[in-house]
C-alpha cells in the first residue's frame, strides 16, 4: 500500500510465538519418541554425572586431563538441558508453541554452551599436545592455576558472540509462517522465517559460528598434526600405541561433534533438507553427549579401574 507521499509501507505481522514442529509428522510415535528421548536424557545425566564424581573422588585421576573431562561432562549436562526438556513437553502434551522470548533465551544458551564446548575441546587437545610433545615441562606448564584459567577462559570466550548472534536474529522482522520445522530454536530454521534482506544478518550469524566453532576446530587440528608427528618419532611401537590411546577418545568426540555441527551450519540450504537438518542437530546436541561417557570410559583403563572401585560402594 502507498501513502499520499508515495512512501511504500510494508506490513509485517508481529510474531509473538513460534511453533516447533519437531516430530509432528510422526503422530503415531509420540509416546515412543518420548520414551527414547527420556532414556537418552537419563543416560546423559547419569553417565556424565558419574564421570564428574569419579574424577573428583579418585586420587589417581587428579590430573589436568581428567580435570578438563570433569568440566566437559558438566557442560554436556547443561548443553542437553537447554533443548531436551522442551522436546519432552512437545511430545507429551502436543503443545508445540514457544514464546518469542523463550525461543531467544533457548537459542542464546544453546549457542553459549555449544561455543564453550568447542573451546573446551580445543583446550583438551592442547593438554594432550603438551603431555605428548612436551612431557618434561608438562607438570610445570599445566599446573592447577593454568588449568582453571583455561576452563574459565573457555566459558567467558563463548559468551559475547552468542549474545550478538541472538540479538541479530531476533531483531529481524518475521512474517508469514511462524512454524519452525525443527526440534528446537536454532539459527538456520529461524533465518529461514525472516523477511526482507537478511544478507547482513546471515553474514554475522555465520561469522559468529566461524569464530565459535571453526577457529577452535583449526586449533584442534594443528594440535593433532603436531601430536601425530611426535608419536611417529617414538622408537617403541608400544609407546606409540600408548600415546595415541590417550588421544583416541577425544578424537572420536571431536569428530562426532564438529562433523555434524559444521555440516548442519555450513551446508548450503539448496542441498540440506529439514529432515537432514533435524538429524544432524540431534547428533551434536543429543547423541554425542550420550556417547561421551561411554567413549571416555570404555577406552580408558584408568577410568574403568576407578569405576570398579567406586560402584561397589
Amino acid at each position: 500500500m502507498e501513502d499520499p507521499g508515495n512512501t511504500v509501507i510494508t506490513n509485517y505481522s508481529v510474531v509473538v510465538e513460534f511453533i516447533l514442529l519437531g516430530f509432528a509428522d510422526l503422530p503415531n510415535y509420540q509416546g515412543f519418541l518420548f520414551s527414547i528421548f527420556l532414556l537418552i536424557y537419563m543416560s546423559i545425566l547419569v553417565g556424565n554425572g558419574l564421570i564428574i564424581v569419579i574424577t573428583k573422588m579418585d586420587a589417581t585421576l587428579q590430573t589436568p586431563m581428567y580435570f578438563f573431562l570433569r568440566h566437559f561432562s558438566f557442560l554436556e549436562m547443561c548443553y542437553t538441558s537447554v533443548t531436551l526438556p522442551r522436546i519432552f513437553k512437545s511430545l507429551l502434551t502436543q503443545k508445540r508453541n514457544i514464546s518469542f522470548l523463550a525461543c531467544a533465551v533457548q537459542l542464546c544458551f544453546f549457542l553459549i554452551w555449544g561455543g564453550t564446548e568447542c573451546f573446551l575441546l580445543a583446550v583438551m587437545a592442547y593438554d594432550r599436545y603438551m603431555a605428548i610433545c612436551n612431557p618434561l615441562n608438562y607438570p610445570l606448564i599445566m599446573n592447577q592455576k593454568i588449568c582453571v584459567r583455561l576452563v574459565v577462559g573457555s566459558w567467558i570466550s563463548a559468551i559475547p558472540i552468542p549474545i550478538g548472534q541472538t540479538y541479530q536474529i531476533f531483531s529481524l522482522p518475521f512474517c508469514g509462517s511462524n512454524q519452525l520445522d525443527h526440534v528446537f530454536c536454532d539459527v538456520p530454521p529461524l533465518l529461514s522465517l525472516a523477511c526482507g534482506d537478511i544478507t547482513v544478518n546471515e553474514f554475522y550469524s555465520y561469522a559468529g559460528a566461524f569464530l565459535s566453532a571453526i577457529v577452535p576446530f583449526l586449533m584442534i587440528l594443528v594440535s593433532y598434526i603436531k601430536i601425530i608427528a611426535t608419536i611417529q618419532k617414538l622408537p617403541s611401537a608400544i609407546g606409540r600405541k600408548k600415546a595415541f590411546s590417550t588421544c583416541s577418545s577425544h578424537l572420536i568426540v571431536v569428530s562426532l561433534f564438529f562433523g555434524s555441527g559444521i555440516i548442519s551450519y555450513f551446508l548450503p540450504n539448496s542441498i540440506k533438507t529439514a529432515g537432514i537438518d533435524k538429524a544432524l542437530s540431534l547428533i551434536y546436541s543429543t547423541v554425542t553427549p550420550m556417547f561421551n561417557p561411554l567413549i571416555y570410559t570404555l577406552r580408558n583403563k584408568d577410568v574403568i579401574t576407578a569405576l570398579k572401585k567406586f560402584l561397589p560402594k
Side-chain angles (χ1 to χ4, degrees), residues 37 46 119 142 177:
F37 280 110
V46 172
F119 286 117
M142 298 300 292
S177 174

Side-chain angles (χ1 to χ4, degrees), residues 181-182 186-192 202 206 260-281 284:
D181 194 4
H182 209 61
D186 204 358
V187 174
L190 282 166
L191 286 176
S192 68
E202 284 184 318
Y206 290 115
S260 56
I262 289 172
I263 293 172
S264 178
Y265 271 71
F266 293 99
L267 192 71
N269 291 330
S270 57
I271 302 175
K272 184 171 57 177
T273 65
I276 293 174
D277 204 26
K278 288 179 190 178
L280 289 170
S281 65
Y284 65 76

Side-chain angles (χ1 to χ4, degrees), residues 247-262:
C247 305
S248 57
S249 298
H250 183 256
L251 271 173
I252 294 171
V253 172
V254 166
S255 301
L256 283 171
F257 180 75
F258 280 98
S260 56
I262 289 172

Side-chain angles (χ1 to χ4, degrees), residues 1-13:
M1 182 176 68
E2 295 188 8
D3 67 359
N6 294 324
T7 302
V8 177
I9 301 174
T10 306
N11 293 320
Y12 292 112
S13 58

Side-chain angles (χ1 to χ4, degrees), residues 22 28 60 79 90-91 152 202-203 243 255:
N28 298 326
T60 62
Y79 187 55
S90 298
L91 291 172
V152 172
E202 284 184 318
F203 171 78
S255 301

Side-chain angles (χ1 to χ4, degrees), residues 190-260:
L190 282 166
L191 286 176
S192 68
L193 293 186
C195 299
D197 185 8
I198 60 170
T199 306
V200 174
N201 302 86
E202 284 184 318
F203 171 78
Y204 280 119
S205 295
Y206 290 115
F210 180 85
L211 292 173
S212 297
I214 303 300
V215 170
F217 177 73
L218 292 175
M219 293 168 64
I220 294 170
L221 192 61
V222 170
S223 296
Y224 274 106
I225 288 173
K226 294 183 178 181
I227 287 171
I228 292 170
T230 301
I231 290 175
Q232 287 178 336
K233 295 177 183 178
L234 294 176
S236 168
I238 296 175
R240 289 194 296 269
K241 183 179 179 180
K242 184 178 179 181
F244 188 76
S245 67
T246 64
C247 305
S248 57
S249 298
H250 183 256
L251 271 173
I252 294 171
V253 172
V254 166
S255 301
L256 283 171
F257 180 75
F258 280 98
S260 56

